[in-house]
């Protein structure tokens, strides 16, 4: 038994019971973005959050304990993702990666945008030419230290 | 001669003349995000935009013609980027990729967020605990066609 | 349980019962191309389509629910496919890829041919020198947005 | 000197002189699809075709000789292409590869669709919801031999 | 259940019953080369051939049906084979690949030697300095089509 | 200067002077298969053979010395070859590799077919249904030693 | 011209002039660890530091400007380093990676040790059984944010 | 049964019983760093250490025997690790690898820092700007032998 | 069932029964080097050797038959081995590979050292500065054939 | 200028002047194995050794300085070598790697055979069935440290 198996069981329970991430998030008490990442095995649950998940997804006590252990992260099976939706994000990194780097450095100097002190918000924007997906990424700027 | 060489010449001129992307963008008449991507060899210039770039970066007529040709896109040298700033974005795709996929499908059904009918906005958000990089990505949702 | 297992069960049932894709497509009510892709785990079924598939392939209710969930797409085990038929298609992309790119850009400007708003039709063309496979691919042109 | 350098010189001349593939094809006397592939270093010119190319692209006699030598084919720099347009074609092979395989085998039995006795035709189809790229691929079916 | 499992069962039965490929080939009624490839999951059996295999290898009806389905071909686990015997063949392609290409093109012009309309014959040649393996490969030449 | 550059110069001279491998082989005094492999940088020339090559390809004395040095072998740029003709040979290894292994082991026991004490002969076989490429590979069988 | 070329010129000057990193660090006014990383193209110089480097390594004004531009980081040519000294560090990550992860999580909870707000100190420790290399790595702990 | 399965069982028991590495280390009688590495399958237990582990993790006698066998080491699933914490260490090797190499060679000459005669100590350092992870790595210097 | 499973069973039996390779080799009647390689699935047993192994490792008749079948060789899970002991050997090939090549060619001319007609002997050499592992590799030289 | 260029110049001088490694080794005053590795860019020269090399290979003062700098080691262009002679050594690691590991651990316990405190001796052994290459590898055993 490891976290991967718990993730598989959560997804199967979600399919079987017809749940939605937005409702699961309300039960867990976090944003839908964090909650989905956590249920997919990328984040660590507190004891209280794990108890909610245990009931929602009908997990055993041992599976519930696994949710509270820091997981080995990384949700993709291949270095270049094959799924078209996820690939489009990889393409954004591939095509715009050096652009993002240049503009952040121009504004902030040498450093990075944190992927740890980080949040994400995904929203639908109605548009007569076809609705749009709007995603806001917010990460703390961390300057390189000199010493 | 190919577009890669023109990109190299643009970057060298920018370093030599001490230019900033935000000012170059004003001269070109597009956002700083699109302009930087275009100067880094990922986008196609119109004739007018190329003329501005030619003067700014002291390009020859042939180099100016290359800017108006659709380039072979992709700005990274390796499937997994080595630069820490760009890697953090790859990590976001790796850690949050399945989360993004789940939430977009829950809201929109099967399809993708376009990386072509797409725009990006990068801003500094002041924060007493350390300033943050805020990035808004906006892409049209394209549903899978059945037939 | 995940979609991959349902795909395996569908293929096994098809072999065991001696079904043909063209007849399955008629039952599902879509083209044989879309239907085959969907049964092979690349597309999402509607409730009604899934009900037909459930009866045809003798699936359980949980397996039927999986058909209506957006799958993680990508049907090949290796970046370069080993099967000779599928490799020939990869070879077409390898040998003619830059040609396709040049001709679409000459006609349409910078952008892509969508693989989402996309359809495919595969037909036999009788030919005295040996019958031919004719494939028509149709994808919406999506121009790059400037902003 | 090798064929790659000749290809580079042809592309540079085309940019410098503002030529179009469709006009070059008329001069060469073949389809725009074959002609573009040939100019991009994937096909072998006859003596007469090479003479036309020599004049069009201002090639030396030695460069002209290279055009008549069978080239080492393959136009992509990486196993998985990074250019968004060409990637969409790779994605079609990835997502629909097993579908194409199933449908050709159902119709023809075991064998392949040739990528050698092969032709391609790329056309614009006007469409009020956005013009489409239509591509017809035609390849001879080659059955596996038993012995 | 899929073809890979049937292949595994065939090999295990062959080991258990102490059969030889040359005798199996006589029963199947094809050459030992084609028969071995087919039993190893690379070729498609006719109904009559599958019936012989079913009895020889004690297969179920469903396993027998799988033999008549076109398989996903490719018998090696890694792009560069690790087994020394098979590696020597890969080495021949690596060291002599461009030689084979040059000589076939010199004799036939641009095109390929088919791996589909193809046969192979493996024989022992007695030699006082150590017996030799003689392999004859025969493939139809397919010229590139111009259009 | 290294052997790769000498190979490049040989190929360029062959194109420029319109030579054929079969004639070069007669001058060198070896088979066309060995001669081509040697000229393409895979084999070591004797002093006499190098002298012939020097005159044929107009090489300097230092280039002539390189021909007599054992080269770093391997003629392909990628683990999986991109050229369609050479790929067909890789495909033969991929599809028939385990078959070749089984049949050689059945005949000879554990060991390999040498790729060093090895020769190759490539011939055209006229055939009314389309001429065939016939290739004979002959390698000494080397049994594994026990100790 | 890009940063890689400046790095090459710095290393060549250091070899030619017989300089030591520890002395260069004193001139630059930073630790020997940061200074070496900066000279090897991984860090960004301030204007004052660049002026010192310009004189030490006899750089042109343009090369001096490059030192003040944020570089594309990553100092290794291959994902798995081939140099024995650097490989030992990769081996530490490979063998002890999950150990490091477990112990940091046990002490700090979910999060990472920063490689940006990071410093390193390398010292010789005399030891009668053979001197030792002692390295102290210090990185800020960054907890995963929930939202 | 192999060591990997024993590792899995140890981790599962640790989760189920809520144990901490620091307490396990006290029971085993080694540092927390060595103990964790050993429990994660990277080190070899003595008979006495294995007996303690057997009781702590409720292992069978055969599982206990496996702990005393030298394992096949390497704890990461991919050459470039996907977990953000472990990746930061890989990034340190990527960004600072050549720096570490230069400084060790400047101090010690040609050779390596051993990853075998090696120890590691991980500690929390309180810091008002955010606590830090301090790691001391100590490895014997091994000079290259000349002969 | 295949050879890999038999290898796994042999290793488990060896652990369970506390056997040593040197004693197993005496029972099998070959060197400890050949015997270990054979038990680890890289060599083919004779009927008599397999009978000894069957009793030693408590194998079934079918498992005993597998030992007498030529295996698919290759004992490493990744192209670059992760285990530190085996990696050191890979490093020797990486660092000294071209040296070995040069010296064998200088002594013998063009050809290879056989890895088939090959033996190996591993011994401990006592040394006051720390015992050494001495390994003698002996392989027949095979010259390249000209034809 | 870097060490790779110096290596290239050394090899070219050796070809041009017809030198032998065994004689160069005598001049340098080390074994032919160490000397060859050093000349091929894998080892560091002392001042005196570099002076000999400078005269032998007609190097400049700057090239001579490079020989005394610790090089970035690793002499192969690809993770799996393509040259048949070097591949046989990689094959030995692949086929016998786990055997070597088992036997060293049985004799010495957990640890490695050093590739740093290491020497190699390559000799011809006359043999009526064909001369053999005998290679003796000697490396200090380094036990894993517990702490």
């Amino acid at each position: 038994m490891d976290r991967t198996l718990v993730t598989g069981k959560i997804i199967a329970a979600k399919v079987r019971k017809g749940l939605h991430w937005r409702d699961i998030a309300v039960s867990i008490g976090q944003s839908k973005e964090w909650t989905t990442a956590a249920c997919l095995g990328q984040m660590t649950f507190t004891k209280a959050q794990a108890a909610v998940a245990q009931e929602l997804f009908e997990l055993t006590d041992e599976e519930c304990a696994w949710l509270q252990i820091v997981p080995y992260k990384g949700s993709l099976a291949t270095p270049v993702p094959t799924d078209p939706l996820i690939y489009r994000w990889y393409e954004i990194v591939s095509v715009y990666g050096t652009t993002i780097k240049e503009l952040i450095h121009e504004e902030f100097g040498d450093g990075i945008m944190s992927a740890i002190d980080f949040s994400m918000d995904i929203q639908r924007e109605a548009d007569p030419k076809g609705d749009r997906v709007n995603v806001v990424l917010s990460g703390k700027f961390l300057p390189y230290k000199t010493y």
Side-chain angles (χ1 to χ4, degrees), chain A residues 113-121 135-141:
Chain A
M113 166 181 155
S114 182
I116 308 294
D117 187 337
F118 170 82
S119 66
M120 179 169 55
D121 184 42
V135 182
V136 181
L137 306 175
S138 170
K140 190 177 174 183
F141 180 75

Side-chain angles (χ1 to χ4, degrees), chain A residues 50-61:
Chain A
V52 177
Q54 184 172 12
E55 202 181 315
L56 268 177
F57 302 119
E58 302 172 358
L59 306 175
T60 66
D61 283 355

Side-chain angles (χ1 to χ4, degrees), chain A residues 24-38:
Chain A
I24 296 166
V26 171
S27 306
I28 299 284
Q30 298 288 339
S31 69
K32 68 182 185 303
E33 287 77 13
W34 186 91
T35 303
T36 305

Side-chain angles (χ1 to χ4, degrees), chain A residues 11 33 35 52 71 88 90 110 114 122 125:
Chain A
I11 298 175
E33 287 77 13
T35 303
V52 177
R88 294 310 182 276
Y90 178 76
D110 198 356
S114 182
I122 300 178
E125 179 194 358

